[in-house]
Amino acid sequence: MKVLKFGGTSVGSAENIKTLLRIVAQEKLQSNPVVVLSAMSGVTNLLTDMAEKAERGEDYDASLKEIEAKHFAVIRTLLPAGAQNPVFTRLKIFFNELEDLLQAVTNLRELSLQTKDQILSYGERCSSFMIAHIAAQQFPEALYVNGAELIKTDNNFGQARVDTELTEMLIKNFYQENKSKVLFVTGFIASNANGRVTTLGRGGSDYTAAVWGAALNAEEIEIWTDVNGMMTADPRIVKKAFSLPELSYTEAMELSYFGAKVIYPPTMIPAFMKKIPIVIKNTFEPDFAGTYIKSDVKTSSLPIKGISSIDHISIINLTGSGMVGKAGFSGRLFSLLSREQINVVLITQSSSEHSITFAVKPTDAGQAIALIKKEFELELDANKLALPEVENNLAVLAIVGENMKHTPGMSGRLFNALGRNGINVRAIAQGSSEYNISVIIGAGDLSKAVNAVHDAFFTDLKRTLNIFCLGTGNIGKTLFNQLKEQMPFLAANNDLQVKVAGISNTRKMIFKAEGLSLDEWESELEKDGETADLAGFVEKMKQMNLPNCVFVDNTAAEAPIEFYQGIFESSISVVTCNKKGNSADFAQYKSFKDTARKFGVDFYYETNVGAGLPIIRTLRELMMSGDKVARIEAILSGTISYIFNNFKGDAGFYETVKEAQELGYTEPDPRDDLNGKDFMRKMLILARDAGYPLEASDVKIDNILPEACLNATSVEDFYTELQKNAAYFEDLKTTAANDGKVLRYIGKLENGTVEISLQMVDDSHPFFMLSGSDNIISFTTDRYKSRPLVVKGPGAGAEVTAAGVFADIINVGSLS
Ligand SMILES: NC(=O)C1=CN([C@@H]2O[C@H](COP(=O)(O)OP(=O)(O)OC[C@H]3O[C@@H](n4cnc5c(N)ncnc54)[C@H](O)[C@@H]3O)[C@@H](O)[C@H]2O)C=CC1
Ligand SMILES: N[C@@H](CC=O)C(=O)O
Ligand code: NA
């Protein structure tokens, strides 16, 4: 035999009640269940509201009408006209009684807890009476049971404690006499020794179900609600949260205690004592298995079962010498709080015993402080205790699971996820049971924290990166196309999800925490975007406080650079193809690196040199493994490489440069390529990464342009000058060709100095054979001494560059 309990939503409308009855009918095929019912959704709140209004002498008629209408609509929909009358009559009697009570409260302007329980009881009585009669249309053995008469409690109105022995006896006897019936029992309500109605407090209907289940030794207790069981985290916060198939009682208690609202822990105790499984099921998806809560759970591969959270909490810090070595101090403190019904959510004490921190609900904080001041007056006066301090706007995040026990690294994983996301931990507690590690953090960080921790523990799920992209030009646009094409693959491989949470160019910017559409971003930016404002973009990115956040700079602008520092300090990683950041002052370059390291975030800029070719990472790996760079020789301008590879035969210089620009090899301003500045930046970045603290002015550059081209004040002018100086370039070409040589613009780093020179090389030179926009780099190092390590391939172009940016993005956080 099973006990089935249906919550407020499940009995909240005619449609839902029909679903409920289908579930009961299905169960009846096995054996007659006991069905415990809540009040229709919203009714308990209305009753409370009415009672309070009556106490203040205010009019409550509208609410009474609303409750009536709610029930009567169901009766009219689900009962044939001929069967409606008895139900209407009984409910009307209920409502008359209720009105009398409210009138009495109005007259006396007094609402005792006892009266309030009496008033609230009508919620469950109405719903259960009505549903039992609707059920009787399908199965005549349906019987309405006023459960208040069978659950006996003390006089603690509002939160009465059950007399288990007496209650079990009454329930057993009643059940024996009515075994052939399907019982529809009011949840939540009970009665004291004098027969006065009491209520069982929060989660009261679940408690009723557990009491009945325990009394009758039910096979299981099913709690039918409107969600798919208990989940790994609050699904409103974590979109990827999933339902847990199984939990132990302890895990369920820990998870529910910290916020999972599906069941209220104390209600499980009667079931727990008798090892009766509790199943959380979804009325609206009855075929979904739901969550089994029982004592003998199978071993699970999940490192933790879930993350629970409380979004509003205050902490109180007590410090002072008065508590050092004083055995009774915390005893006094916490019995004081418990005596005054202040619920302490979490406690930590440093091993020096010099301070105790504990968390309470914000509404209790003021009272707790007042109580402490009174109780410890002497200690405070003698300065053995400092005045207690309260901190508000905090939240608790807890990871829960029995697997944590004996598994090293769990807290490491938790704190790493928090640390990487810049979440400051205010206090920590781990029960020695090791079922739960709780941290207190700022309330504003909660959503980010829960998502980041969920990603860190449930690694089988897709990790989410939230990217904010600056620049929608050649590279930015191509990156979005690649992301769009690659998303299905990443999703199928179940390892990564990249959400574009913000986009800006010089004109407009747009944000969307759930991720912008990679199909529609361009029109959305155009249509819904606000006026671009770089500082505003960065600020909004910080404010959105998303987990695993990456700032992607796909511009060629100076302006974004000044924000990098603050972005790192906000624990946000940076990926960029913009070389301007790393090639400005050395001090700034160093500061970026140091800050990123200090805040545990990544700074990736592979495309600063050789576009997508693995040059920066090759050098980084050489350096990290202790190698030393003796010499670098390289061709790192894709544009100039393309020009020299194609400026032959009849081809003109000007036309070839134009082609390079059209192919997307040049900088937005092609003068930067031709005047060697772009190449200089790359050599400088390489030199710095190789350990040389150089400045731009330290790089010697051979100029390949005539003076007039160098002095051009606009791109247009520049092209005009190129055309005017055609003879100069023709001369270069023929001189080289006559000697059987090719033109090469080659950078060299040796002995800490960098130079870039125009050379004419013959086929004995390793850089002779290049084509297209090829880059080539050879590293001569301690380990690659006699034969250098060489990387070669296309070093410019939108596809290869965007691919390099893409690779950097997906590498963010991948080592954690
Ligand atoms: N083309 C290539 O082969 C390679 C390019 N790169 C780098 O890629 C970067 C981008 O190049 P392209 O896409 O060709 O440039 P682009 O001129 O096509 O696009 C630049 C984008 O940045 C935006 N932008 C500029 N300043 C901004 C600001 N202050 N705030 C917001 N948005 C701003 C512009 O609106 C535009 O959308 C450059 O830094 C370049 O050095 C790096 C490696 C290879
Ligand atoms: N404009 C650059 C592109 C890569 O950084 C080049 O031509 O190499
Ligand atoms: Na590269």
Side-chain angles (χ1 to χ4, degrees):
M1 188 276 294
K2 291 184 187 170
V3 176
L4 274 49
K5 178 253 160 176
F6 292 88
T9 326
S10 305
V11 301
S13 68
E15 203 48 46
N16 297 355
I17 292 169
K18 277 206 295 206
T19 313
L20 170 165
L21 290 175
R22 272 199 295 277
I23 294 166
V24 175
Q26 189 65 30
E27 185 52 42
K28 234 182 121 284
L29 299 175
Q30 316 299 319
S31 67
N32 280 347
V34 170
V35 183
V36 174
L37 300 170
S38 293
M40 290 181 81
S41 54
V43 167
T44 304
N45 283 347
L46 281 169
L47 289 168
T48 308
D49 197 45
M50 282 154 67
E52 286 165 1
K53 277 191 174 141
E55 188 187 18
R56 294 192 299 266
E58 291 167 16
D59 184 33
Y60 46 77
D61 234 33
S63 304
L64 192 58
K65 291 259 153 44
E66 191 180 335
I67 295 182
E68 247 181 53
K70 237 177 144 72
H71 290 86
F72 288 0
V74 171
I75 297 169
R76 284 193 198 98
T77 316
L78 296 184
L79 280 175
Q84 289 176 3
N85 259 348
V87 188
F88 275 135
T89 310
R90 181 59 173 273
L91 258 61
K92 276 186 184 144
I93 295 173
F94 281 156
F95 294 136
N96 287 340
E97 289 171 8
L98 179 59
E99 219 175 342
D100 289 348
L101 274 168
L102 290 164
Q103 191 53 53
V105 173
T106 306
N107 293 343
L108 292 169
R109 294 286 196 284
E110 187 193 293
L111 176 65
S112 67
L113 287 175
Q114 179 171 335
T115 309
K116 192 171 173 190
D117 278 358
Q118 181 78 24
I119 291 173
L120 292 184
S121 74
Y122 285 97
E124 272 69 16
R125 285 153 80 184
C126 289
S127 68
S128 307
F129 185 85
M130 176 179 82
I131 292 170
H133 279 74
I134 296 166
Q137 299 292 313
Q138 285 183 47
F139 16 96
E141 61 278 47
L143 180 70
Y144 164 67
V145 183
N146 182 352
E149 290 157 13
L150 300 170
I151 297 185
K152 290 313 225 181
T153 69
D154 63 7
N155 292 331
N156 196 5
F157 294 98
Q159 194 158 10
R161 267 179 286 270
V162 176
D163 176 342
T164 312
E165 224 170 291
L166 178 58
T167 299
E168 290 204 347
M169 191 193 73
L170 290 171
I171 290 177
K172 270 189 205 148
N173 290 344
F174 183 85
Y175 184 74
Q176 274 311 319
E177 287 161 19
N178 294 284
K179 237 179 166 161
S180 58
K181 302 273 171 38
V182 181
L183 309 180
F184 287 84
V185 185
T186 53
F188 182 56
I189 58 176
S191 59
N192 69 6
N194 306 327
R196 302 298 301 236
V197 173
T198 57
T199 59
L200 299 174
R202 208 182 127 190
S205 296
D206 292 341
Y207 197 39
T208 306
V211 168
W212 275 75
L216 301 176
N217 257 318
E219 173 192 328
E220 64 185 39
I221 299 163
E222 293 181 352
I223 306 290
W224 288 84
T225 169
D226 53 1
V227 291
N228 276 337
M230 303 258 286
M231 303 188 84
T232 48
D234 184 338
R236 288 165 309 177
I237 304 180
V238 181
K239 293 281 169 289
K240 287 183 264 182
F242 58 91
S243 302
L244 291 157
E246 268 195 2
L247 287 173
S248 71
Y249 291 111
T250 321
E251 287 170 334
M253 294 222 197
E254 295 275 358
L255 269 179
S256 335
Y257 185 70
F258 283 107
K261 302 273 162 24
V262 183
I263 43 171
Y264 181 58
T267 62
M268 276 189 278
I269 291 168
F272 174 56
M273 305 294 275
K274 295 217 169 155
K275 292 194 163 39
I276 298 170
I278 298 177
V279 196
I280 314 286
K281 299 268 295 176
N282 187 350
T283 306
F284 308 102
E285 235 181 278
D287 292 335
F288 190 82
T291 302
Y292 270 79
I293 304 170
K294 49 190 190 181
S295 54
D296 53 334
V297 288
K298 289 194 280 271
T299 45
S300 145
S301 60
L302 298 175
I304 61 168
K305 286 292 171 62
I307 303 157
S308 74
S309 50
I310 306 179
D311 52 3
H312 291 292
I313 217 82
S314 296
I315 59 176
I316 296 178
N317 296 309
L318 276 180
T319 52
S321 58
M323 56 182 100
V324 182
K326 283 265 160 50
F329 183 87
S330 50
R332 245 171 91 199
L333 171 65
F334 294 113
S335 36
L336 165 74
L337 297 172
S338 118
R339 211 167 43 236
E340 300 298 327
Q341 310 254 342
I342 291 180
N343 182 27
V344 176
V345 173
L346 170 159
I347 306 169
T348 67
Q349 177 174 27
S350 66
S351 56
S352 69
E353 295 182 40
H354 197 261
S355 74
I356 292 183
T357 299
F358 62 92
V360 293
K361 280 194 290 191
T363 44
D364 288 341
Q367 196 199 350
I369 294 282
L371 289 167
I372 291 167
K373 283 188 183 158
K374 204 158 152 224
E375 172 78 22
F376 296 99
E377 203 179 347
L378 290 178
E379 286 84 346
L380 284 162
D381 283 348
N383 281 332
K384 289 192 163 165
L385 201 64
L387 272 178
E389 287 168 22
V390 193
E391 279 183 68
N392 294 313
N393 293 326
L394 298 171
V396 184
L397 175 153
I399 55 170
V400 171
E402 292 193 356
N403 272 3
M404 276 200 278
K405 204 169 183 156
H406 317 306
T407 315
M410 293 293 112
S411 54
R413 217 190 279 191
L414 168 69
F415 292 111
N416 186 31
L418 296 171
R420 272 193 70 89
N421 281 284
I423 295 157
N424 189 28
V425 175
R426 298 287 302 106
I428 304 168
Q430 174 178 22
S432 56
S433 62
E434 294 184 46
Y435 292 154
N436 173 323
I437 303 176
S438 304
V439 294
I440 300 216
I441 58 178
D445 282 333
L446 185 63
S447 161
K448 169 156 104 169
V450 180
N451 276 287
V453 172
H454 200 272
D455 260 8
F457 280 95
F458 299 108
T459 45
D460 285 353
L461 302 176
K462 287 188 282 270
R463 199 162 53 93
T464 300
L465 291 175
N466 291 294
I467 64 174
F468 288 81
C469 298
L470 208 61
T472 59
N474 201 11
I475 308 302
K477 207 175 263 184
T478 311
L479 173 68
F480 292 143
N481 286 338
Q482 292 182 356
L483 276 171
K484 184 177 117 181
E485 272 171 34
Q486 203 55 14
M487 271 314 128
F489 173 82
L490 289 176
N493 283 276
N494 222 14
D495 49 8
L496 186 69
Q497 181 181 32
V498 181
K499 285 190 189 163
V500 183
I503 301 179
S504 178
N505 55 30
T506 41
R507 293 181 306 106
K508 294 209 156 172
M509 61 182 187
I510 190 167
F511 305 91
K512 197 170 189 185
E514 312 82 72
L516 288 151
S517 152
L518 288 167
D519 287 310
E520 314 279 341
W521 69 268
E522 219 165 347
S523 55
E524 280 176 17
L525 180 66
E526 212 39 59
K527 191 161 55 71
D528 306 326
E530 47 194 295
T531 307
D533 156 27
L534 184 50
F537 184 77
V538 172
E539 199 42 47
K540 175 82 183 190
M541 167 178 76
K542 292 179 188 172
Q543 267 171 22
M544 283 168 77
N545 213 9
L546 298 174
N548 307 324
C549 195
V550 189
F551 178 75
V552 184
D553 177 5
N554 286 327
T555 73
E558 312 253 354
I561 310 303
E562 66 183 85
F563 293 95
Y564 286 11
Q565 185 75 18
I567 292 173
F568 291 131
E569 285 166 4
S570 302
S571 299
I572 295 172
S573 294
V574 174
V575 165
T576 185
C577 59
N578 184 352
K579 298 148 203 143
K580 302 230 167 99
N582 280 327
S583 58
D585 296 349
F586 178 79
Q588 190 181 48
Y589 159 90
K590 175 106 183 15
S591 174
F592 289 163
K593 297 239 154 173
D594 292 346
T595 314
R597 193 173 312 120
K598 179 171 164 200
F599 285 86
V601 290
D602 295 314
F603 178 33
Y604 291 150
Y605 47 87
E606 178 57 73
T607 50
N608 274 191
V609 181
L613 295 178
I615 294 174
I616 297 289
R617 83 186 46 157
T618 301
L619 177 56
R620 180 169 50 227
E621 283 163 15
L622 290 173
M623 299 293 292
M624 280 192 332
S625 61
D627 206 350
K628 290 210 171 45
V629 174
R631 194 171 125 104
I632 289 176
E633 252 196 307
I635 287 178
L636 294 174
S637 171
T639 300
I640 298 179
S641 189
Y642 178 83
I643 294 167
F644 287 165
N645 291 332
N646 292 278
F647 174 50
K648 47 191 175 198
D650 291 341
F653 192 79
Y654 159 83
E655 287 78 11
T656 318
V657 177
K658 271 270 166 197
E659 264 169 39
Q661 182 168 29
E662 273 149 27
L663 287 165
Y665 300 152
T666 67
E667 291 306 290
D669 183 339
R671 288 175 296 176
D672 271 7
D673 297 292
L674 279 281
N675 64 20
K677 223 178 198 171
D678 179 74
F679 199 163
M680 177 280 288
R681 291 191 173 113
K682 291 167 177 163
M683 288 304 290
L684 185 61
I685 295 168
L686 283 175
R688 287 173 172 180
D689 279 7
Y692 299 101
L694 300 184
E695 298 293 349
S697 54
D698 297 325
V699 182
K700 279 199 281 177
I701 315 176
D702 245 7
N703 177 26
I704 62 166
L705 295 178
E707 200 63 22
C709 299
L710 277 179
N711 294 337
T713 50
S714 70
V715 175
E716 250 171 67
D717 267 0
F718 175 67
Y719 275 118
T720 316
E721 289 300 332
L722 285 187
Q723 273 174 309
K724 280 195 204 155
N725 288 277
Y728 169 88
F729 298 109
E730 284 302 321
D731 190 41
L732 270 180
K733 176 162 72 177
T734 37
T735 314
N738 290 345
D739 282 354
K741 292 182 177 172
V742 290
L743 293 164
R744 291 291 178 254
Y745 203 34
I746 299 175
K748 191 165 87 180
L749 160 70
E750 198 165 26
N751 302 323
T753 59
V754 180
E755 56 181 43
I756 300 167
S757 58
L758 179 64
Q759 299 181 26
M760 295 188 191
V761 304
D762 62 24
D763 59 3
S764 66
H765 194 283
F767 292 177
F768 180 84
M769 286 296 291
L770 284 186
S771 57
S773 65
D774 275 1
N775 279 194
I776 186 163
I777 184 164
S778 87
F779 295 99
T780 307
T781 69
D782 280 1
R783 292 182 195 140
Y784 292 93
K785 203 176 257 159
S786 50
R787 298 177 57 238
L789 186 162
V790 178
V791 179
K792 173 176 165 265
E799 285 296 336
V800 290
T801 307
V805 174
F806 195 163
D808 275 352
I809 293 172
I810 61 182
N811 275 323
V812 168
S814 60
L815 296 177
S816 67

